[in-house]
Amino acid sequence: MATQDQRKAETRSRLIAAAADLFATKGFHAVSAEAVAEAAERTTGALYSHFGGKDGLLLALVDEWLEESAQRINTGVEASADLQGRLRSLWGDAIAPHEEYGDSWLLLEFELWLHAARDAAFAEDLAERYAQRRHELGLPLGAWTGDEGLGRLRHPERTAGLVIALLLGAAMQYRLDPASLSSDDVVAGLRALIEGDAK
Amino acid sequence: MATQDQRKAETRSRLIAAAADLFATKGFHAVSAEAVAEAAERTTGALYSHFGGKDGLLLALVDEWLEESAQRINTGVEASADLQGRLRSLWGDAIAPHEEYGDSWLLLEFELWLHAARDAAFAEDLAERYAQRRHELGLPLGAWTGDEGLGRLRHPERTAGLVIALLLGAAMQYRLDPASLSSDDVVAGLRALIEGDAK
DNA sequence: GTCTATATTTCGATAGAC
DNA sequence: GTCTATCGAAATATAGAC
């Protein structure tokens, strides 16, 4: 194992982490390549060598975000005992500071979505990611309703899509004004969506 | 009525319209002041004279957006006869091209939200706007359920917040992949949210 | 109030040494 | 692979004529 490879990997990791932070808090176009390199304690030369530029860096960031967010959904949720607790955990994850990306992961979520909505190449990647989310949330969702005696879901993935939609839209409003929505309101809404699809 | 005032008003209007289009389709930081002026068939001098710069232009845009979006919610919706039709109209408005802002109004929605999430001054403005939306949607929402024999809503504004949340989150996913959510799914979700709060 | 022209700064990207 | 130095392009903002 060469030391070169370690340093290379760390440089790459540092640059992506710095990009995630800065792109989220200031926006992609508002951040210069030099600022990212400086925050990562590297130089623009290293950035261009690794990613070819700011765009390549953003693409790499999306890829890592893809993997990471797939895991996030399931963590914490499975620790809860009943449906109510699981839904509460989902909402908590949506608004709580995140371990790796801090309290700005929600900003990154929308920053990436905006780039995808404006660029077809990004859109395909992100669309796949959302499909993956719906799929991975749909499975446990169907199981939970069974546990609660609500019957099975007719369309687990479609319901998962609605659940994710409500979480995102509620988080938007919560970010602007935390008093505008209570946790109970959101959880009640999530439950209504789920029960509406349970037979 | 002086011709000077007319020209002044038109210049202002042109600049705001061009800004709305460009900020939505390319993003605020990706658009130069000169590009906005050029699209409005004016010059940067006029832009700086009216708004003091790009930031001032964005603020003026938000204000106009505030008024305009308040009216949009109620139009089209009241034309429908029953709850199902009204919910379908709401969803249609969320994803359909808009008269004044084209098919990019959804992008502007999130662009403005991102700026608000990053800037406290913007946040206050936008928070007020969302509160206004919840209020103006909550009233008819409560009336609709009465018409349908569903009883009255317990918390019209909170339910309106959930309805708006679902519309925004669903529109996000729909924009990335129109096949991911059917209109029936979304309308069913909206109905579930409303019925969940009706007693 | 609006336009032309421009000063100043900053950005993205590259070349070459190590 | 990484860094230093730098070029050319583009952005913000201003000054002055009309």
Side-chain angles (χ1 to χ4, degrees):
Chain A
M1 152 141 43
T3 308
Q4 282 284 25
D5 286 357
Q6 287 180 8
R7 176 164 179 81
K8 182 178 171 182
E10 176 163 352
T11 293
R12 182 187 161 84
S13 173
R14 274 172 169 272
L15 286 168
I16 290 182
D21 181 31
L22 289 175
F23 290 170
T25 54
K26 296 188 176 181
F28 176 76
H29 290 290
V31 174
S32 68
E34 192 174 1
V36 175
E38 196 170 343
E41 293 177 326
R42 294 293 187 277
T43 60
T44 62
L47 192 158
Y48 276 85
S49 172
H50 272 277
F51 304 104
K54 250 174 71 176
D55 291 308
L57 179 55
L58 184 61
L59 278 170
L61 170 59
V62 171
D63 283 343
E64 189 173 86
W65 175 265
L66 250 149
E67 299 181 21
E68 192 274 342
S69 72
Q71 300 174 338
R72 171 153 32 106
I73 284 189
N74 294 339
T75 25
V77 169
E78 299 187 348
S80 302
D82 59 352
L83 181 59
Q84 195 76 1
R86 283 160 177 151
L87 297 181
R88 189 169 292 276
S89 172
L90 274 179
W91 171 239
D93 279 348
I95 59 172
H98 184 253
E99 182 181 346
E100 190 173 354
Y101 296 96
D103 70 337
S104 57
W105 80 262
L106 188 66
L107 302 195
L108 188 59
E109 177 81 38
F110 288 102
E111 178 77 17
L112 293 181
W113 180 87
L114 262 177
H115 277 271
R118 290 164 179 153
D119 184 323
F122 273 86
E124 201 169 343
D125 270 11
L126 211 58
E128 186 182 354
R129 167 187 157 218
Y130 274 91
Q132 186 180 355
R133 281 184 171 180
R134 287 188 293 267
H135 181 70
E136 296 196 1
L137 180 60
L139 286 177
L141 222 52
W144 298 346
T145 57
D147 295 346
E148 299 272 325
L150 295 173
R152 299 192 61 78
L153 291 179
R154 275 181 281 234
H155 309 294
E157 293 194 4
R158 296 187 204 175
T159 303
L162 296 180
V163 165
I164 291 171
L166 187 64
L167 287 170
L168 288 173
M172 280 181 78
Q173 296 176 64
Y174 183 85
R175 178 95 190 189
L176 289 180
D177 180 9
S180 63
L181 288 167
S182 75
S183 294
D184 289 341
D185 293 335
V186 178
V187 172
L190 293 173
R191 181 180 275 274
L193 288 178
I194 294 170
E195 290 181 353
D197 190 47
K199 62 182 171 186
Chain B
M1 156 137 40
T3 309
Q4 282 283 23
D5 286 356
Q6 286 181 9
R7 177 165 177 80
K8 182 178 171 182
E10 175 163 352
T11 294
R12 180 187 163 85
S13 173
R14 275 173 169 269
L15 286 169
I16 289 182
D21 181 31
L22 289 174
F23 291 170
T25 55
K26 297 188 176 181
F28 177 75
H29 291 290
V31 175
S32 69
E34 192 174 1
V36 175
E38 196 170 343
E41 293 178 326
R42 293 293 185 278
T43 60
T44 61
L47 192 157
Y48 277 85
S49 171
H50 273 277
F51 305 104
K54 250 174 70 176
D55 291 308
L57 178 55
L58 184 60
L59 278 170
L61 170 59
V62 171
D63 284 343
E64 188 173 87
W65 175 263
L66 251 149
E67 299 180 21
E68 190 275 341
S69 72
Q71 300 174 337
R72 169 153 34 103
I73 284 188
N74 295 339
T75 22
V77 168
E78 300 188 348
S80 302
D82 59 352
L83 181 59
Q84 196 76 0
R86 283 161 177 152
L87 296 181
R88 189 170 292 277
S89 171
L90 274 180
W91 172 240
D93 279 348
I95 58 172
H98 184 253
E99 181 181 345
E100 189 172 355
Y101 296 97
D103 70 338
S104 57
W105 79 263
L106 189 66
L107 302 195
L108 187 59
E109 178 80 39
F110 288 103
E111 178 78 17
L112 293 180
W113 180 87
L114 262 178
H115 276 272
R118 288 164 180 153
D119 185 322
F122 274 86
E124 201 169 344
D125 269 11
L126 210 59
E128 186 182 354
R129 166 188 158 217
Y130 274 91
Q132 186 180 356
R133 281 184 170 179
R134 287 189 293 267
H135 181 69
E136 296 195 1
L137 179 60
L139 285 177
L141 222 52
W144 298 347
T145 58
D147 294 346
E148 299 273 325
L150 294 173
R152 299 191 63 79
L153 291 180
R154 274 180 283 233
H155 309 293
E157 295 196 3
R158 297 187 203 174
T159 302
L162 296 180
V163 165
I164 290 171
L166 187 64
L167 287 170
L168 288 173
M172 279 181 78
Q173 297 177 65
Y174 182 85
R175 177 97 191 185
L176 289 180
D177 180 9
S180 62
L181 288 168
S182 75
S183 293
D184 290 340
D185 294 335
V186 178
V187 171
L190 293 174
R191 181 180 275 275
L193 288 178
I194 294 170
E195 291 182 353
D197 189 48
K199 61 183 172 185

